[in-house]
Amino acid sequence: MRNPHAGEPFDTSDAEIAEALLDVSIPTLMVSMVHMANDPEIIRGRLKPEGLFLNEVQGYMSEDAKAEVRALALGVIRDYRDRGCPEPEPISAELLHEMMAWLVCEEVPAEYVPMLLEEMELDGTDARQVKATLPDAASAAFPVVVIGCGQSGLLAGIRLKEAGIPFTIVEKNAGVGGTWWENSYPGARVDVGNHFYCYSFEPSDQWTEFFAQQPELQRYFEGVMTKHAIEPHVRWNTEVLGAAWDDESATWTVRVRTADGTEESLEARAVVSAVGQLNRPHTPEIDGQDAFAGPSFHSARWDHSVDLTGKQVAMIGAGASGFQIAPTIASEVEQLTVFQRTAQWMFPNPNYHEAVGPGVRWALRHLPFYGRWYRFLIFWPGCDKGLEAARVDPDYPDQQTAVSEMNDFTRQMFTDWITSQIGDDPDLIAKVVPDYPATGKRTLQDNGSWLRTLTRGNVELVRTGIDHIEADAVVATDGARYPADVLVYATGFYATRVLWPMEITGRGGVNLREVWGERPAAYLGITVRDFPNLFCMYGPGTNLAHGGSLIFHSECQMRYITQCIEELIAGGHQAMEPTRAKYEDWHARTQAEIKTLVWSQPSIKHSFFKNAYGEIHGLSPWRLVDYWTWTREPDFADFEMR
Ligand code: NAP
């Protein structure tokens, strides 16, 4: 069978190929040429990228150099086509490593290579899949309930199915996608490049934008669900209310409520929580808000029946969601007032709204491993570099606005990006340049649309606090009154309340919420002491603010979880839970580590990363390569197996 990433054979004409090459990433094209021509000299000559930028589209080379490469490529591709597009010969590990370093213009440390090769699947093998090895009868006696059918719940279903383990996914919504089902607000789009932000084993050559919008993302997950025939396992419109562990029978009883309000129980030997961290909308309590006469709704519960044309809209909150909403609705509304408590740092990304040209889609479909190398190209700049950049230098003098020299450099770069767009309007500069260290909250992707929006005549950014809301206005603490017909709360989620509001009771009837309090913890972000056979995806300590992608983390977690469940079945065990020592040691080390990073800085007053005590329990302070290594294979000595 042909390697699925070697590209589909084609008979595209020379002219059409030449046309396609005008769109593509030139460095990525060159490594694909190495495969096609089986000739490493293609990357050993004068033509090479001059640098690497996060989210690059065409590559950092002069236009003349790009033209030269295109001319060369036409010959290589034509020859490959005329030979019938044979599957390329495998390439040695050394040469692959050389190609990696060449593509990203820097050394790729050897410790990363196995992880990257696995992510790229150049050998056509999905190494994160756990194959079914157990007798059917043994697996049949081990039903699993997965809570949630978003990105991670769908993945859980796919992996359990491959392993031959029976499962039911319970999803409160009517369809797949989780975040990408619920957040349908105008302008919702992903901010990790889509050719990386998709399952490693389900790449798509169909993305129409480099950072797809919500409908396209939801369709992607829908397509993957259909392809893997997961839907028959899903109970839609069914919410998990709680789960209780019975030690004697070693089973979970999962309490659910269906769409018509009926409550039922499902029995499971293991539960996989795939509920996400940003799932329960947070609407702050503001005096008078109930008296507001017009429509009001949260960004994650957008009311599409409300026509904003010609309306005065007040939007409270401007984090990642508000930052996308404002530019999208500004031209439609009569007046938009944005209430922003804290200014946000933004990362310059000129390609953020760029469409994927037809040539790129042709290359993804036909050129051997083009898509795999492009995936790597997007992955690499966000692969652990952000973590080093986030580290606090305790000797750095001005901890208020920067935590290290590198962090100060980032502040300068981001500040220049902001001020270059708004000129020398001191009032606006004072409002939009953050007063806390760069990257200290979640950094937003920006192509200039935010500040362009703020300089429109019908848009006002208010940084004064809100005092109260009246029937037709929002009133600020300085007494200023901002008339409003529609109120949008872009005020985020209850991010620190993990697995809330479900009631989960473990061994001896202990309640998970009481055990955790404000400090949720899980060994490797996955398993919890006293809660046997409960496995979390995107659990405590696994959110990413330093790069990577949550899909990458989910794939690591689900490989680990599937192996745990296989071991439970194969070993005839009833239950497993991490030893107390492992669980506590992990949490203590994670806490110590997170305190050395910029997100913990006390000068950051408001951040959904922080709990009531200013501590962070949701984020990962760990390198992706370490997390990948630790979760590759469970060490059952870390567990009490019963
Ligand atoms: P968020 O980042 O938590 O932002 C909430 C906004 O509401 C902030 O401006 C916050 O101000 C404000 N706010 C909250 N409570 C308030 C109060 N009581 N009074 C006044 N203002 C208040 O929420 P989000 O924008 O929905 O984004 C959440 C996360 O979802 C993101 O960080 C990201 O992980 C994800 N997301 C990603 C994308 C994407 O991929 N592009 C898009 C949307 C969301 P403060 O900053 O002062 O707290």
Side-chain angles (χ1 to χ4, degrees):
M1 205 179 80
R2 191 177 170 91
N3 182 322
H5 307 302
E8 287 174 20
F10 55 91
D11 57 6
T12 314
S13 71
D14 289 9
E16 287 168 312
I17 295 170
E19 179 78 18
L21 296 185
L22 294 175
D23 287 347
V24 303
S25 153
I26 299 297
T28 312
L29 172 66
M30 288 180 74
V31 284
S32 177
M33 285 158 67
V34 173
H35 290 281
M36 279 184 274
N38 196 17
D39 180 6
E41 296 310 316
I42 288 169
I43 58 160
R44 289 177 181 158
R46 181 175 51 79
L47 294 167
K48 57 174 76 158
E50 291 163 24
L52 174 69
F53 288 116
L54 183 62
N55 303 317
E56 70 171 37
V57 169
Q58 282 223 330
Y60 189 43
M61 291 169 89
S62 72
E63 287 310 313
D64 286 350
K66 285 182 193 169
E68 257 190 84
V69 176
R70 288 189 188 106
L72 258 172
L74 193 55
V76 170
I77 297 171
R78 189 194 293 132
D79 172 64
Y80 171 72
R81 176 198 62 197
D82 295 345
R83 284 187 284 119
C85 303
E87 183 169 333
E89 293 294 316
I91 283 182
S92 72
E94 294 73 35
L95 179 52
L96 290 174
H97 192 175
E98 180 186 340
M99 290 159 80
M100 285 179 188
W102 180 88
L103 195 53
V104 298
C105 309
E106 65 184 21
E107 188 44 50
V108 173
E111 66 172 325
Y112 282 86
V113 174
M115 176 184 86
L116 295 167
L117 287 177
E118 183 187 283
E119 176 76 20
M120 291 164 75
E121 282 184 27
L122 293 169
D123 59 359
T125 307
D126 173 7
R128 294 180 190 153
Q129 179 185 88
V130 179
K131 294 220 168 61
T133 53
L134 303 163
D136 287 351
S139 297
F142 210 93
V144 176
V145 164
V146 178
I147 309 174
C149 197
Q151 170 277 116
S152 54
L154 174 61
L155 174 70
I158 293 169
R159 293 316 199 189
L160 290 170
K161 189 170 182 219
E162 287 164 350
I165 297 166
F167 66 96
T168 301
I169 304 179
V170 183
E171 168 56 59
K172 66 178 164 30
N173 294 326
V176 64
T179 275
W180 299 117
W181 173 270
E182 293 183 4
N183 285 273
S184 64
Y185 62 75
R189 70 167 78 228
V190 69
D191 62 4
V192 177
N194 265 119
H195 298 97
F196 172 48
Y197 186 84
C198 56
Y199 299 120
S200 61
F201 57 95
E202 284 298 350
S204 168
D205 53 26
Q206 292 304 307
W207 298 115
T208 62
E209 292 177 279
F210 287 95
F211 298 85
Q213 299 189 49
Q214 175 266 340
E216 191 167 5
L217 287 153
Q218 200 277 327
R219 278 199 303 277
Y220 168 80
F221 291 109
E222 186 105 36
V224 173
M225 177 175 73
T226 304
K227 181 174 168 192
H228 289 263
I230 298 302
E231 187 153 20
H233 300 264
V234 189
R235 294 191 54 172
W236 304 115
N237 297 308
T238 304
E239 181 169 4
V240 171
L241 303 173
W245 171 256
D246 177 59
D247 217 29
E248 205 163 307
S249 59
T251 49
W252 282 100
T253 301
V254 181
R255 216 157 33 85
V256 303
R257 184 172 50 213
T258 61
D260 64 8
T262 317
E263 291 194 15
E264 284 175 36
S265 290
L266 309 176
E267 297 287 302
R269 298 293 308 278
V271 168
V272 177
S273 162
V275 298
Q277 283 193 15
L278 299 164
N279 183 256
R280 298 287 173 172
H282 161 251
T283 304
E285 284 178 19
I286 303 174
D287 278 351
Q289 68 193 147
D290 294 339
F292 187 73
S296 68
F297 44 84
H298 188 274
S299 55
R301 299 285 181 270
W302 195 269
D303 185 346
H304 291 276
S305 71
V306 177
D307 181 4
L308 298 181
T309 318
K311 297 274 175 20
Q312 304 189 91
V313 177
M315 184 172 77
I316 301 176
S321 301
F323 193 82
Q324 294 182 327
I325 293 168
T328 316
I329 65 171
S331 59
E332 196 185 321
V333 303
E334 184 187 305
Q335 173 69 29
L336 173 63
T337 311
V338 179
F339 294 86
Q340 188 183 47
R341 185 167 61 184
T342 311
Q344 306 289 331
W345 284 113
M346 48 194 125
F347 183 91
N349 178 0
N351 300 317
Y352 192 31
H353 292 181
E354 251 344 78
V356 177
V360 171
R361 290 206 289 277
W362 180 86
L364 287 164
R365 171 156 295 191
H366 296 296
L367 296 186
F369 308 109
Y370 178 94
R372 307 318 291 182
W373 284 105
Y374 192 59
R375 186 178 185 95
F376 160 71
L377 190 62
I378 302 175
F379 185 10
W380 182 252
C383 188
D384 297 339
K385 295 178 191 343
L387 197 57
E388 275 325 295
R391 201 159 300 283
V392 175
D393 171 359
D395 299 326
Y396 194 75
D398 176 16
Q399 298 281 329
Q400 184 70 23
T401 55
V403 297
S404 68
E405 209 165 299
M406 194 195 292
N407 187 244
D408 191 44
F409 174 79
T410 307
R411 158 176 277 276
Q412 282 308 324
M413 185 181 77
F414 287 1
T415 306
D416 288 351
W417 168 248
I418 294 172
T419 50
S420 70
Q421 295 176 65
I422 52 176
D424 50 10
D425 175 348
D427 291 341
L428 192 53
I429 289 178
K431 282 182 182 177
V432 297
V433 177
D435 57 3
Y436 56 90
T439 73
K441 292 168 58 123
R442 191 171 186 281
T443 309
L444 309 177
Q445 300 279 327
D446 179 53
N447 65 348
S449 61
W450 170 250
L451 292 171
R452 219 167 23 247
T453 301
L454 298 186
T455 52
R456 288 177 66 102
N458 68 335
V459 176
E460 183 169 0
L461 178 70
V462 179
R463 291 288 311 276
T464 321
I466 297 169
D467 184 75
H468 68 278
I469 294 173
E470 297 178 354
D472 58 354
V474 178
V475 181
T477 48
D478 61 2
R481 198 170 177 282
Y482 298 91
D485 308 313
V486 179
L487 193 51
V488 173
Y489 291 96
T491 42
F493 301 87
Y494 286 103
T496 56
R497 299 187 188 177
V498 182
L499 303 193
W500 178 80
M502 294 184 297
E503 285 291 338
I504 301 195
T505 52
R507 209 154 43 78
V510 287
N511 181 295
L512 185 60
R513 198 158 334 129
E514 283 165 19
V515 172
W516 275 350
E518 283 275 335
R519 300 183 168 95
Y523 177 50
L524 294 169
I526 299 174
T527 56
V528 186
R529 179 72 193 173
D530 293 331
F531 293 80
N533 298 7
L534 172 68
F535 301 95
C536 299
M537 301 184 71
Y538 194 5
T542 64
N543 194 7
L544 287 169
H546 66 75
S549 127
L550 288 175
I551 294 185
F552 170 82
H553 254 192
S554 294
E555 291 189 5
C556 293
Q557 288 149 11
M558 200 51 213
R559 165 161 63 184
Y560 184 93
I561 293 169
T562 313
Q563 292 177 87
C564 287
I565 297 176
E566 272 213 328
E567 175 63 20
L568 280 165
I569 301 171
H573 305 289
Q574 284 198 311
M576 65 186 287
E577 61 181 294
T579 64
R580 190 165 297 285
K582 273 283 162 191
Y583 175 70
E584 289 177 353
D585 170 68
W586 169 265
H587 192 214
R589 280 192 298 118
T590 303
Q591 280 301 294
E593 194 69 16
I594 199 88
K595 291 193 171 93
T596 68
L597 297 163
V598 64
W599 314 300
S600 296
Q601 272 311 93
S603 61
I604 302 161
K605 295 282 176 281
H606 300 289
S607 159
F608 75 80
F609 296 154
K610 292 185 175 179
N611 69 8
Y613 308 104
E615 301 164 354
I616 298 178
H617 294 265
L619 283 185
S620 169
W622 305 115
R623 297 191 311 167
L624 299 176
V625 70
D626 290 328
Y627 194 70
W628 175 81
T629 306
W630 298 331
T631 53
R632 243 178 130 179
E633 226 180 297
D635 180 349
F636 294 105
D638 296 346
F639 292 90
E640 278 170 24
M641 311 290 297
R642 190 152 63 76

